[in-house]
Amino acid sequence: MSERQFHRSIGVFSGTAINMTQMCGIGPFITIPLMVAAMGGPQAIVGWIVGALLAMADGLVWAELGAAMPGSGGTYVYLREAFQERTGKLMPFLFIWTMLLAIPLLMSTGIIGMVEYLQFFFPNMGWWPSHLVGIAATGLVTWLLYRRIESVRVITVALWVIMLISIIGVAAAGFSHFNASLAFDFPPDAFGPRFFAGLGAGLIIGVYDYLGYNTTAYIGDELRDPGRTMPRSIIISIMAMMVIYLLLNISVLGVAPWQEIAHSKSIASLVVERSWGHAAAAVMTTLIIVTALASVFTGLLGGSRVPFEAARDKVFLSTFGRLHARDGFPHVALLTMGLVTAIGTFFDLTEVINMLLTATILVQSLAQVVALVVLRRRRPDLTRPYRQWLYPVPCIIALVGWIYVYISASTLSLLLSGAWIVAGVVVFMLWARVNAAWPFAPIETHRTAIGEP
């Protein structure tokens, strides 16, 4: 039993830091132009607000499920508990199958963005040098995570501080030379018929930028008092990042025409250079690069626990269930996801974002809403330190919001994500046949209690 024990050392402050670092990262610095282009002007600010509302509704789903079942693995644990009586291990298996792709793809976007900002210093960097840098950066983050959780916590808080400095710096640069006529230069048809079409594309970007508010749910075994820490870290991080994103977006729009912003590849560098000069832009760009590494760092920290939990429950390859002999972390899962992240850096940023969202919406976001409702009915005995506010309103908002995001995604991402899930069903059937599991054997249920992984 001792080899399976984590160190419970993460409280509300460090948990919120982990969530916020993963939520922000380099996201807004590479997506503000995409949001402005998708929405067609300064009304892009609506995209951030709607994105926050969807994140909060979904966050309240995570908060109740995570506080009641704080084992490492997050969604895996919730789906296992909710759907095992009807479909055995199918749903948790599909979740792990999808996360092996989606989590590293999310980390790949951070590396891709970091390389884009490196081109501020090396504008003539070619295709191969760019990708070699991406591989090297992924290796560095994986090495930093290859240690016990106490060291990781200290590094995470330090990187969180750097992230806040970079955000505050860019916002300050924008507001120091703020021009309200630029920031609120709405086109004549800003809120016309095209608004809702643009909102769908903008919401995809907005949701991507808020992703990460659930990171602490993946490391429930490492939280102090998870029933208190998990809901607070989720709710506080979403509210704080909404304010940060709004301030950052408004400050950027006040420095240059929105048409120019919509085509920028390194908007933060542009804002700081135009406001404070090249030297200041160089310093801020460096901080943004570090921030990008921080987001990948915390994402791999939480994501590597997902296949580990599945392997412990005999739904995945047993090798992923091993903890490092000396420092007690899932080293096999960490190294595997680090490798997939490196591979993902070779693909286009826009399609990576669409693909990771469409893949996760079906087997995670929508499935979790259903799981919460199912568990309320089937497991009234389950201890719930936190119960969702205004239930079932947040569930309904999350359900409608995720469906809207899904149908707004690109056709290619819908096809590819659908094919990946179908392939997962086929692999599951083969796995179930070999391991004599449902539907080739009676269902074996697992009853989760508070504090039990």
Side-chain angles (χ1 to χ4, degrees):
M1 177 68 72
S2 60
E3 67 176 0
R4 294 175 57 178
Q5 294 296 318
F6 283 118
H7 303 278
R8 289 192 177 275
S9 57
I10 299 177
V12 174
F13 178 77
S14 53
T16 301
I18 289 173
N19 285 348
M20 289 181 65
T21 304
Q22 174 58 20
M23 289 172 72
C24 181
I26 199 171
F29 298 124
I30 60 176
T31 58
I32 284 179
L34 298 179
M35 179 74 84
V36 172
M39 299 292 292
Q43 63 271 25
I45 193 172
V46 177
W48 301 111
I49 296 174
V50 177
L53 293 175
L54 176 54
M56 182 61 73
D58 190 59
L60 294 180
V61 174
W62 280 91
E64 176 168 328
L65 293 173
M69 295 169 284
S72 290
T75 299
Y76 165 75
V77 178
Y78 319 147
L79 299 187
R80 180 191 66 193
E81 183 67 23
F83 300 113
Q84 61 184 338
E85 295 181 8
R86 295 290 179 86
T87 58
K89 298 177 179 179
L90 173 61
M91 289 303 296
F93 184 96
L94 286 179
F95 169 70
I96 301 302
W97 173 264
T98 303
M99 289 303 102
L100 282 178
L101 176 68
I103 292 176
L105 284 181
L106 181 59
M107 300 307 101
S108 297
T109 63
I111 298 295
I112 293 170
M114 183 210 71
V115 172
E116 287 186 358
Y117 271 84
L118 271 177
Q119 294 178 13
F120 176 85
F121 300 107
F122 308 101
N124 297 318
M125 188 164 51
W127 190 89
W128 270 112
S130 298
H131 290 294
L132 288 175
V133 169
I135 293 173
T138 304
L140 173 62
V141 172
T142 304
W143 175 78
L144 288 173
L145 281 168
Y146 208 81
R147 61 200 71 239
R148 69 186 298 122
I149 191 66
E150 283 82 356
S151 300
V152 169
R153 180 184 58 172
V154 173
I155 294 172
T156 298
V157 173
L159 293 177
W160 178 57
V161 172
I162 295 174
M163 179 206 74
L164 290 179
I165 292 174
S166 63
I167 288 282
I168 293 171
V170 174
F175 282 121
S176 68
H177 287 70
F178 185 77
N179 186 333
S181 63
L182 291 176
F184 304 105
D185 181 25
F186 296 100
D189 61 342
F191 298 98
R194 295 180 55 188
F195 172 77
F196 290 99
L199 180 61
L203 187 55
I204 292 176
I205 299 166
V207 168
Y208 160 77
D209 282 321
Y210 283 105
L211 290 179
Y213 53 84
N214 51 13
T215 302
T216 48
Y218 288 117
I219 52 176
D221 281 340
E222 295 154 275
L223 300 181
R224 291 197 309 267
D225 188 8
R228 172 179 176 271
T229 298
M230 193 176 301
R232 292 189 180 188
S233 65
I234 290 173
I235 294 169
I236 293 172
S237 61
I238 292 173
M239 294 178 64
M241 291 312 305
M242 180 184 69
V243 174
I244 289 173
Y245 285 154
L246 291 178
L247 290 175
L248 184 62
N249 189 81
I250 294 172
S251 69
V252 167
L253 287 169
V255 173
W258 67 264
Q259 294 88 345
E260 181 180 355
I261 292 173
H263 293 90
S264 175
K265 293 295 184 181
S266 53
I267 187 61
S269 301
L270 181 151
V271 170
V272 176
E273 186 171 30
R274 191 158 297 184
S275 300
W276 294 341
H278 183 80
V283 172
M284 194 58 60
T285 301
T286 300
L287 292 177
I288 290 172
I289 290 171
V290 175
T291 298
L293 290 176
S295 68
V296 179
F297 178 91
T298 54
L300 285 179
L301 165 63
S304 61
R305 272 61 179 173
V306 177
F308 167 79
E309 179 69 21
R312 291 205 309 179
D313 201 34
K314 296 181 174 59
V315 181
F316 207 61
L317 299 176
S318 60
T319 186
F320 284 87
R322 298 175 184 171
L323 289 176
H324 191 274
R326 183 186 64 194
D327 294 330
F329 64 93
H331 60 294
V332 176
L334 172 63
L335 292 174
T336 302
M337 285 200 160
L339 175 62
V340 178
T341 298
I343 296 173
T345 61
F346 285 85
F347 295 89
D348 177 73
L349 176 62
T350 302
E351 280 304 331
V352 168
I353 292 175
N354 275 261
M355 177 64 181
L356 70 90
L357 282 176
T358 53
T360 57
I361 284 173
L362 293 179
V363 298
Q364 181 181 46
S365 304
L366 294 178
Q368 276 196 174
V369 175
V370 177
L372 188 150
V373 176
V374 169
L375 288 172
R376 283 258 185 149
R377 294 181 177 181
R378 290 185 181 173
R379 293 293 309 273
D381 61 303
L382 187 64
T383 302
R384 292 174 172 85
Y386 168 82
R387 297 179 69 89
Q388 187 185 89
W389 299 338
L390 302 177
Y391 174 85
V393 175
C395 288
I396 296 173
I397 294 174
L399 187 68
V400 174
W402 286 124
I403 292 174
Y404 182 60
V405 171
Y406 186 79
I407 63 177
S408 299
S410 68
T411 301
L412 178 62
S413 66
L414 291 174
L415 292 174
L416 292 177
S417 63
W420 182 261
I421 294 172
V422 170
V425 173
V426 173
V427 173
F428 170 79
M429 297 299 288
L430 295 174
W431 175 90
R433 169 66 74 178
V434 172
N435 290 276
W438 181 91
F440 304 104
I443 291 176
E444 297 179 5
T445 59
H446 182 288
R447 302 283 284 183
T448 298
I450 185 72
E452 178 188 345

